[in-house]
Amino acid sequence: MMKLFKYLKKYTFFIVLALTFVVFQGLLNLYLPDLMADIVNQGVTRGDVDYILSVGGKMLLVTLLNVLSAIVSTFFAAKVAMLYGKDLRSMVFKKVMNFSLYEIDKFGTSTLITRNTNDITQIQTVVFMLLRMVALAPVMAIGGTVMAISKSPKLTMVLLVSIPVMSIAVYFIAKYTMPLFRSMQKKIDKLNRILRENLTGVRVIRAFTKTNYEKQRFEKANEDLTQTALRVNRIFALVFPLIMLIMNFTIIFLFWIGAVQVDKGSLQVGDIMAVMQYVMQIMFSFIMISMIFIFIPRASASAERVYKVISSESKIKDPEKPILPKGKGEIEFKDVTFYFDEAKEPALEDITFKAHPGEFIGIIGSSGSGKSTLVNLLLRFYDITEGEILIDGINIKQIPQKKLRKKISLIPSRPVIFSGTIEENVRIGKEDATEEEIIEALKIAQAWEFVSKLPKGIKTEIAQGGTNLSGGQKQRLAIARGIIGKRDIYIFDDCFSALDFKTDSRLRLALREKLKDSTVIIVSLRVATIMNSDKIIVLDNGKIVGIGTHHELMKTSTIYREIVASQLSEEEIA
Ligand code: ADP
Ligand code: MG
């Protein structure tokens, strides 16, 4: 938590203001019982109405100032807390945007969302509480004690009993609630995860009629969280009555001892009342302090979670001495072996091949054979374990990531469509694209045939996640986005899969024309899609088991022959 607090530094001025007014408020609080004692001792008991009115007026003024200071200090405390929360949220967001896939895999999406929302809210709340209480409580506790002793040292002795009793009570409360708070954050994570999965997978869940099962799963997590929250609140429900009990007993004792002294004439009635109020203030400040002790651990669990995100360094770093590739997109893999974190088997092993500008390279292999992994490595989403990947003869580790990715256009297998218009989605590939360019890209991607039929054309709004488009339509939009900008290398990762054979072949023909000077890698499960490539790489279980043209591979690679045979027969059956 302390590590996160350093980001509060730039608000020092507001913090000082908030604290100053809090102290002011505390001092005014202490002044009130003193005035009241005067009214009782010198006004009420003597029947001096003028005195009562003048001191009463003073009390009103003090109360007014008190309220004003409270408002001002709350205002600044809230301002600091909110601005601080905003800073933390953008810090986490920026960090996550710069994460490599290692960190994204490591944390997981739902916890990153909880950390950026709920956890930061906890921290924000505590900052606000601290600003309000951290100065007020000591001022009132110490000031109250001093004032009470000045009125009657004997009466103040009551505190010697009630404060230890109260401290013990607070200790036990904190002891039981802290672990509960910690587990609550984890349960919120879990709830978010289930919710997310359900919302993104709602079609599958319906299709498999798993709605009830999912409902139960959500109910369970929800119930679990609720129970924990209830347990916390039950404990808190006890706190208030318990504290009131202790307080009331304290007051009874005060009156008891006080009454005896008043009888003896060694104490005035007003003083008893003042001491009583001071004792209440002191005890309230103890409650405040204990609240701080209860809420800080809760927030510090959150702070730890947020700090873990902020302090995570991306495992993939930019080079210290960057070199910019000058060529036109020549690719070379040299004995590349790659393990995912904690994986025992390599996802890719001894991958060696070359691709030149102007070439169309096909990659084929069963699903899970490592095709996507291979093309992702080229963009340095992960760092390879052994070997070298070169672009234009330069190791990609020596190229700044932004420059590297500017050279490559990757169209992933699962098309990602953002909410917005079709035009906006395509424009991501080239910010300053003209409308003609967008239409041209859509034409090449074979998307124009359906976009042109839409009443609003390229201005058509796409629902979040592209749910109002078919799979093939989404793929074609993603392709249009991928090819609109000029890049040296284009990678199509299995993104023709939802297209029918005719569209697929028309698309490839158009690509051949448009991308004839670039290095193009087409990943596919379908032989027909890659058959005409200049070079075909056959992947099996992370290894290259064949490389060459279709005709060469038909002669040399049994696996390739098997794939071809199985698909041709499938087509014939169809
Ligand atoms: P393909 O694209 O050929 O279908 P992938 O390259 O996606 O196959 O996956 C190759 C292998 O790597 C699979 O066995 C898969 O389980 C594993 N894999 C893919 N992504 C990850 C990941 N993020 N973490 C761990 N293993 C992964
Ligand atoms: Mg894949």
Side-chain angles (χ1 to χ4, degrees), residues 105 340-341 343 347 365-374 382 493 523 539:
D105 287 352
F340 278 106
D341 257 3
S366 53
S367 80
S369 55
K371 305 181 297 295
S372 298
T373 310
L374 192 153
Y382 299 96
D493 182 3
V523 173
L539 272 186

Side-chain angles (χ1 to χ4, degrees), residues 232-392:
V232 172
N233 281 304
R234 266 187 224 123
I235 296 175
F236 273 110
L238 278 179
V239 173
F240 202 64
L242 194 70
I243 285 170
M244 286 318 281
L245 192 75
I246 298 173
M247 268 204 191
N248 287 331
F249 268 113
T250 311
I251 289 168
I252 292 173
F253 278 112
L254 269 180
F255 279 134
W256 190 356
I257 305 167
V260 175
Q261 293 204 321
V262 172
D263 255 0
K264 278 197 263 174
S266 59
L267 193 70
Q268 287 186 292
V269 180
D271 292 336
I272 300 186
M273 292 174 73
V275 170
M276 188 190 85
Q277 288 202 2
Y278 285 128
V279 166
M280 295 250 267
Q281 285 179 351
I282 293 165
M283 290 180 82
F284 265 121
S285 32
F286 264 82
I287 295 171
M288 276 195 257
I289 291 168
S290 50
M291 283 296 202
I292 294 174
F293 278 109
I294 289 172
F295 278 94
I296 281 185
R298 175 177 196 189
S300 79
S302 286
E304 207 175 290
R305 286 157 51 94
V306 171
Y307 188 71
K308 273 216 180 104
V309 178
I310 293 181
S311 63
S312 277
E313 278 306 316
S314 177
K315 222 169 143 182
I316 293 184
K317 289 199 177 61
D318 270 341
E320 276 167 21
K321 285 187 213 129
I323 309 175
L324 298 183
K326 295 254 161 47
K328 300 191 97 185
E330 186 190 81
I331 302 170
E332 183 173 8
F333 274 60
K334 268 194 196 164
D335 299 317
V336 171
T337 296
F338 171 68
Y339 288 79
F340 278 106
D341 257 3
E342 292 168 21
K344 292 203 175 58
E345 299 284 313
L348 289 173
E349 202 175 345
D350 285 334
I351 304 291
T352 303
F353 72 93
K354 250 182 155 172
H356 303 282
E359 265 185 338
F360 266 55
I361 307 286
I363 299 182
I364 194 165
S366 53
S367 80
S369 55
K371 305 181 297 295
S372 298
T373 310
L374 192 153
V375 292
N376 284 342
L377 289 182
L378 198 56
L379 280 100
R380 218 181 151 208
F381 286 154
Y382 299 96
D383 268 339
I384 53 177
T385 320
E386 276 167 47
E388 264 185 318
I389 300 176
L390 309 170
I391 286 184
D392 296 331

Side-chain angles (χ1 to χ4, degrees), residues 109-248:
T109 321
S110 37
T111 179
L112 286 176
I113 295 175
T114 325
R115 285 173 205 224
N116 202 1
T117 48
N118 188 294
D119 281 308
I120 290 180
T121 311
Q122 308 289 353
I123 301 169
Q124 226 173 349
T125 312
V126 141
V127 166
F128 176 74
M129 261 177 63
L130 279 180
L131 287 177
R132 289 285 297 135
M133 294 182 179
V134 94
L136 192 59
V139 166
M140 304 244 312
I142 297 169
T145 316
V146 172
M147 294 296 278
I149 290 175
S150 79
K151 295 279 170 213
S152 164
K154 237 189 196 150
L155 280 186
T156 313
M157 303 274 258
V158 178
L159 284 176
L160 290 180
V161 182
S162 30
I163 284 184
V165 171
M166 189 124 93
S167 307
I168 291 169
V170 166
Y171 169 80
F172 278 104
I173 292 160
K175 193 179 145 180
Y176 285 109
T177 47
M178 278 183 211
L180 289 179
F181 278 136
R182 219 162 284 140
S183 83
M184 240 164 87
Q185 286 319 98
K186 283 209 191 99
K187 285 172 184 173
I188 293 174
D189 264 356
K190 192 172 166 198
L191 196 74
N192 274 347
R193 200 177 60 232
I194 295 177
L195 192 62
R196 224 182 85 85
E197 277 177 7
N198 269 290
L199 294 180
T200 44
V202 69
R203 285 173 182 72
V204 180
I205 291 164
R206 296 271 159 82
F208 284 91
T209 56
K210 283 287 178 197
T211 317
N212 275 334
Y213 171 77
E214 288 299 321
K215 255 188 209 155
Q216 277 164 18
R217 203 158 77 103
F218 183 81
E219 282 301 311
K220 221 173 112 190
N222 198 2
E223 181 66 28
D224 198 21
L225 175 64
T226 311
Q227 285 309 331
T228 315
L230 275 179
R231 285 230 297 275
V232 172
N233 281 304
R234 266 187 224 123
I235 296 175
F236 273 110
L238 278 179
V239 173
F240 202 64
L242 194 70
I243 285 170
M244 286 318 281
L245 192 75
I246 298 173
M247 268 204 191
N248 287 331

